[in-house]
Amino acid sequence: MTSELAERQRALELLRTAFPDYRIVFSKGRWAAVSAGNPPAVWFAETPSSLCGQLFQAQLRNGGTVVPFGGNGS
């Protein structure tokens, strides 16, 4: 069984890989991401999947890309 801490670390790693243009953190039970814009945009979420969805929408609206998570290519 995967511990909650290990799962959170893996989620953080995957989010940072998929969205390298954002500073992504987990603190005090919440996920947050900040863009590098001026002024920067900030997103908050209760779960990593919610943050992933928000960042995906932001990339979609702004013409950005999402980096593949990796894997075996199938």
Side-chain angles (χ1 to χ4, degrees):
M1 180 188 267
T2 304
S3 75
E4 186 178 332
L5 178 59
E7 189 175 282
R8 189 168 40 241
Q9 287 299 114
R10 181 69 177 139
L12 191 57
E13 176 185 312
L14 288 172
L15 284 167
R16 287 177 174 167
T17 298
F19 302 101
D21 298 335
Y22 299 86
R23 170 114 165 89
I24 301 171
V25 297
F26 177 83
S27 180
K28 299 181 182 177
R30 292 181 69 187
W31 294 84
V34 179
S35 72
N38 187 14
V42 181
W43 295 266
F44 293 99
E46 296 297 320
T47 65
S49 59
S50 177
L51 185 62
C52 182
Q54 291 179 57
L55 295 178
F56 180 85
Q57 286 292 334
Q59 291 293 81
L60 184 65
R61 288 183 188 120
N62 296 322
T65 61
V66 176
V67 177
F69 288 117
N72 59 12
S74 29

mmCIF file of all heavy atoms in Angstrom, residues 1 4-6 8-11 13-14 17 21 23 25 28-29 34 37 42-43 58 60 63 66 72:
data_model
loop_
_atom_site.group_PDB
_atom_site.id
_atom_site.type_symbol
_atom_site.label_atom_id
_atom_site.label_comp_id
_atom_site.label_asym_id
_atom_site.label_seq_id
_atom_site.Cartn_x
_atom_site.Cartn_y
_atom_site.Cartn_z
ATOM 1 N N MET A 1 0.843 -1.187 0.000
ATOM 2 C CA MET A 1 0.000 0.000 0.000
ATOM 3 C C MET A 1 0.887 1.249 0.000
ATOM 4 O O MET A 1 1.868 1.325 0.710
ATOM 5 C CB MET A 1 -0.899 -0.010 1.242
ATOM 6 C CG MET A 1 -1.797 1.200 1.315
ATOM 7 S SD MET A 1 -2.695 1.334 2.867
ATOM 8 C CE MET A 1 -4.181 0.501 2.425
ATOM 9 N N GLU A 4 0.277 7.960 2.082
ATOM 10 C CA GLU A 4 -0.268 9.243 1.626
ATOM 11 C C GLU A 4 0.849 10.196 1.216
ATOM 12 O O GLU A 4 0.735 10.895 0.212
ATOM 13 C CB GLU A 4 -1.111 9.859 2.743
ATOM 14 C CG GLU A 4 -1.822 11.111 2.327
ATOM 15 C CD GLU A 4 -2.694 11.687 3.431
ATOM 16 O OE1 GLU A 4 -3.159 10.921 4.277
ATOM 17 O OE2 GLU A 4 -2.894 12.907 3.425
ATOM 18 N N LEU A 5 1.935 10.211 1.964
ATOM 19 C CA LEU A 5 3.058 11.091 1.641
ATOM 20 C C LEU A 5 3.688 10.703 0.305
ATOM 21 O O LEU A 5 3.960 11.568 -0.535
ATOM 22 C CB LEU A 5 4.110 11.056 2.750
ATOM 23 C CG LEU A 5 5.362 11.892 2.512
ATOM 24 C CD1 LEU A 5 5.007 13.362 2.313
ATOM 25 C CD2 LEU A 5 6.337 11.730 3.661
ATOM 26 N N ALA A 6 3.883 9.414 0.080
ATOM 27 C CA ALA A 6 4.474 8.953 -1.180
ATOM 28 C C ALA A 6 3.550 9.277 -2.359
ATOM 29 O O ALA A 6 4.015 9.699 -3.426
ATOM 30 C CB ALA A 6 4.750 7.459 -1.117
ATOM 31 N N ARG A 8 1.381 11.741 -2.497
ATOM 32 C CA ARG A 8 1.420 13.195 -2.681
ATOM 33 C C ARG A 8 2.694 13.602 -3.425
ATOM 34 O O ARG A 8 2.655 14.440 -4.323
ATOM 35 C CB ARG A 8 1.332 13.878 -1.323
ATOM 36 C CG ARG A 8 1.156 15.357 -1.412
ATOM 37 C CD ARG A 8 0.773 16.013 -0.107
ATOM 38 N NE ARG A 8 1.428 15.501 1.072
ATOM 39 C CZ ARG A 8 0.807 14.949 2.113
ATOM 40 N NH1 ARG A 8 -0.496 14.825 2.122
ATOM 41 N NH2 ARG A 8 1.488 14.523 3.156
ATOM 42 N N GLN A 9 3.834 12.994 -3.062
ATOM 43 C CA GLN A 9 5.100 13.303 -3.735
ATOM 44 C C GLN A 9 5.045 12.906 -5.202
ATOM 45 O O GLN A 9 5.521 13.637 -6.065
ATOM 46 C CB GLN A 9 6.263 12.590 -3.035
ATOM 47 C CG GLN A 9 6.642 13.197 -1.705
ATOM 48 C CD GLN A 9 7.096 14.630 -1.851
ATOM 49 O OE1 GLN A 9 6.443 15.541 -1.368
ATOM 50 N NE2 GLN A 9 8.199 14.857 -2.514
ATOM 51 N N ARG A 10 4.441 11.767 -5.492
ATOM 52 C CA ARG A 10 4.322 11.303 -6.886
ATOM 53 C C ARG A 10 3.413 12.243 -7.682
ATOM 54 O O ARG A 10 3.717 12.595 -8.821
ATOM 55 C CB ARG A 10 3.778 9.867 -6.914
ATOM 56 C CG ARG A 10 3.631 9.298 -8.286
ATOM 57 C CD ARG A 10 4.971 9.047 -8.945
ATOM 58 N NE ARG A 10 4.744 8.424 -10.253
ATOM 59 C CZ ARG A 10 5.412 8.724 -11.337
ATOM 60 N NH1 ARG A 10 6.382 9.603 -11.293
ATOM 61 N NH2 ARG A 10 5.142 8.136 -12.469
ATOM 62 N N ALA A 11 2.313 12.662 -7.082
ATOM 63 C CA ALA A 11 1.405 13.609 -7.742
ATOM 64 C C ALA A 11 2.130 14.919 -8.028
ATOM 65 O O ALA A 11 1.991 15.494 -9.115
ATOM 66 C CB ALA A 11 0.169 13.847 -6.887
ATOM 67 N N GLU A 13 5.342 15.366 -8.463
ATOM 68 C CA GLU A 13 6.301 15.098 -9.532
ATOM 69 C C GLU A 13 5.610 15.076 -10.902
ATOM 70 O O GLU A 13 6.094 15.688 -11.860
ATOM 71 C CB GLU A 13 6.968 13.749 -9.251
ATOM 72 C CG GLU A 13 7.923 13.273 -10.306
ATOM 73 C CD GLU A 13 8.441 11.871 -9.977
ATOM 74 O OE1 GLU A 13 8.865 11.643 -8.836
ATOM 75 O OE2 GLU A 13 8.387 11.017 -10.880
ATOM 76 N N LEU A 14 4.477 14.401 -10.996
ATOM 77 C CA LEU A 14 3.754 14.322 -12.269
ATOM 78 C C LEU A 14 3.214 15.682 -12.702
ATOM 79 O O LEU A 14 3.301 16.036 -13.880
ATOM 80 C CB LEU A 14 2.614 13.307 -12.172
ATOM 81 C CG LEU A 14 3.029 11.846 -12.129
ATOM 82 C CD1 LEU A 14 1.826 10.961 -11.823
ATOM 83 C CD2 LEU A 14 3.691 11.431 -13.425
ATOM 84 N N THR A 17 6.035 17.801 -13.962
ATOM 85 C CA THR A 17 6.492 17.324 -15.271
ATOM 86 C C THR A 17 5.536 17.778 -16.367
ATOM 87 O O THR A 17 5.965 18.255 -17.419
ATOM 88 C CB THR A 17 6.597 15.784 -15.269
ATOM 89 O OG1 THR A 17 7.568 15.395 -14.291
ATOM 90 C CG2 THR A 17 6.987 15.257 -16.636
ATOM 91 N N ASP A 21 5.774 25.134 -16.731
ATOM 92 C CA ASP A 21 5.720 26.598 -16.708
ATOM 93 C C ASP A 21 5.104 27.151 -15.429
ATOM 94 O O ASP A 21 4.957 28.368 -15.292
ATOM 95 C CB ASP A 21 4.925 27.122 -17.905
ATOM 96 C CG ASP A 21 5.569 26.761 -19.224
ATOM 97 O OD1 ASP A 21 6.800 26.539 -19.247
ATOM 98 O OD2 ASP A 21 4.851 26.688 -20.233
ATOM 99 N N ARG A 23 4.831 27.054 -11.033
ATOM 100 C CA ARG A 23 5.396 26.670 -9.730
ATOM 101 C C ARG A 23 4.265 25.980 -8.986
ATOM 102 O O ARG A 23 3.234 26.593 -8.703
ATOM 103 C CB ARG A 23 5.864 27.908 -8.985
ATOM 104 C CG ARG A 23 6.223 27.649 -7.557
ATOM 105 C CD ARG A 23 7.699 27.866 -7.310
ATOM 106 N NE ARG A 23 7.972 27.951 -5.883
ATOM 107 C CZ ARG A 23 8.252 26.882 -5.141
ATOM 108 N NH1 ARG A 23 8.244 25.693 -5.675
ATOM 109 N NH2 ARG A 23 8.520 27.021 -3.858
ATOM 110 N N VAL A 25 2.980 23.624 -5.691
ATOM 111 C CA VAL A 25 3.312 23.233 -4.323
ATOM 112 C C VAL A 25 2.103 22.602 -3.635
ATOM 113 O O VAL A 25 0.961 22.786 -4.058
ATOM 114 C CB VAL A 25 3.793 24.436 -3.475
ATOM 115 C CG1 VAL A 25 5.077 25.024 -4.047
ATOM 116 C CG2 VAL A 25 2.726 25.498 -3.363
ATOM 117 N N LYS A 28 -0.266 22.834 3.687
ATOM 118 C CA LYS A 28 -1.412 22.961 4.593
ATOM 119 C C LYS A 28 -2.685 22.346 4.011
ATOM 120 O O LYS A 28 -3.770 22.912 4.097
ATOM 121 C CB LYS A 28 -1.633 24.414 4.981
ATOM 122 C CG LYS A 28 -0.445 25.010 5.711
ATOM 123 C CD LYS A 28 -0.685 26.435 6.109
ATOM 124 C CE LYS A 28 0.567 26.964 6.788
ATOM 125 N NZ LYS A 28 0.461 28.358 7.158
ATOM 126 N N GLY A 29 -2.531 21.192 3.354
ATOM 127 C CA GLY A 29 -3.676 20.477 2.838
ATOM 128 C C GLY A 29 -4.248 20.980 1.530
ATOM 129 O O GLY A 29 -5.293 20.520 1.087
ATOM 130 N N VAL A 34 1.263 28.610 -9.546
ATOM 131 C CA VAL A 34 1.432 30.016 -9.899
ATOM 132 C C VAL A 34 2.105 30.081 -11.265
ATOM 133 O O VAL A 34 3.085 29.390 -11.514
ATOM 134 C CB VAL A 34 2.317 30.744 -8.858
ATOM 135 C CG1 VAL A 34 2.515 32.201 -9.245
ATOM 136 C CG2 VAL A 34 1.738 30.623 -7.470
ATOM 137 N N GLY A 37 3.472 34.787 -15.276
ATOM 138 C CA GLY A 37 3.012 36.009 -15.923
ATOM 139 C C GLY A 37 3.148 37.243 -15.048
ATOM 140 O O GLY A 37 3.527 37.188 -13.889
ATOM 141 N N VAL A 42 -2.864 32.598 -10.180
ATOM 142 C CA VAL A 42 -2.740 31.622 -9.094
ATOM 143 C C VAL A 42 -3.969 30.722 -9.085
ATOM 144 O O VAL A 42 -5.087 31.200 -9.261
ATOM 145 C CB VAL A 42 -2.612 32.330 -7.712
ATOM 146 C CG1 VAL A 42 -2.471 31.320 -6.599
ATOM 147 C CG2 VAL A 42 -1.443 33.300 -7.720
ATOM 148 N N TRP A 43 -3.738 29.434 -8.919
ATOM 149 C CA TRP A 43 -4.813 28.457 -8.816
ATOM 150 C C TRP A 43 -4.670 27.698 -7.508
ATOM 151 O O TRP A 43 -3.564 27.389 -7.080
ATOM 152 C CB TRP A 43 -4.743 27.438 -9.957
ATOM 153 C CG TRP A 43 -4.978 28.018 -11.303
ATOM 154 C CD1 TRP A 43 -6.162 28.077 -11.978
ATOM 155 C CD2 TRP A 43 -4.022 28.622 -12.158
ATOM 156 N NE1 TRP A 43 -5.996 28.682 -13.197
ATOM 157 C CE2 TRP A 43 -4.683 29.035 -13.328
ATOM 158 C CE3 TRP A 43 -2.648 28.876 -12.052
ATOM 159 C CZ2 TRP A 43 -4.036 29.662 -14.384
ATOM 160 C CZ3 TRP A 43 -2.006 29.501 -13.096
ATOM 161 C CH2 TRP A 43 -2.689 29.890 -14.245
ATOM 162 N N ALA A 58 -6.190 26.208 -18.327
ATOM 163 C CA ALA A 58 -5.389 27.421 -18.514
ATOM 164 C C ALA A 58 -4.505 27.292 -19.749
ATOM 165 O O ALA A 58 -4.398 28.230 -20.549
ATOM 166 C CB ALA A 58 -4.538 27.688 -17.274
ATOM 167 N N LEU A 60 -5.048 25.340 -22.315
ATOM 168 C CA LEU A 60 -5.953 25.311 -23.467
ATOM 169 C C LEU A 60 -6.342 26.726 -23.886
ATOM 170 O O LEU A 60 -6.295 27.086 -25.055
ATOM 171 C CB LEU A 60 -7.186 24.490 -23.112
ATOM 172 C CG LEU A 60 -8.214 24.254 -24.207
ATOM 173 C CD1 LEU A 60 -7.615 23.398 -25.315
ATOM 174 C CD2 LEU A 60 -9.439 23.580 -23.620
ATOM 175 N N GLY A 63 -3.196 28.787 -25.298
ATOM 176 C CA GLY A 63 -2.428 28.235 -26.410
ATOM 177 C C GLY A 63 -1.167 27.516 -25.997
ATOM 178 O O GLY A 63 -0.276 27.303 -26.811
ATOM 179 N N VAL A 66 0.896 20.790 -22.923
ATOM 180 C CA VAL A 66 1.037 19.938 -21.749
ATOM 181 C C VAL A 66 2.080 18.895 -22.101
ATOM 182 O O VAL A 66 1.958 18.207 -23.117
ATOM 183 C CB VAL A 66 -0.302 19.259 -21.376
ATOM 184 C CG1 VAL A 66 -0.116 18.305 -20.214
ATOM 185 C CG2 VAL A 66 -1.358 20.304 -21.059
ATOM 186 N N ASN A 72 5.871 4.164 -21.922
ATOM 187 C CA ASN A 72 6.468 3.299 -22.933
ATOM 188 C C ASN A 72 6.075 3.677 -24.354
ATOM 189 O O ASN A 72 6.378 2.972 -25.286
ATOM 190 C CB ASN A 72 6.102 1.840 -22.669
ATOM 191 C CG ASN A 72 4.615 1.606 -22.674
ATOM 192 O OD1 ASN A 72 3.839 2.480 -23.084
ATOM 193 N ND2 ASN A 72 4.189 0.445 -22.211
#
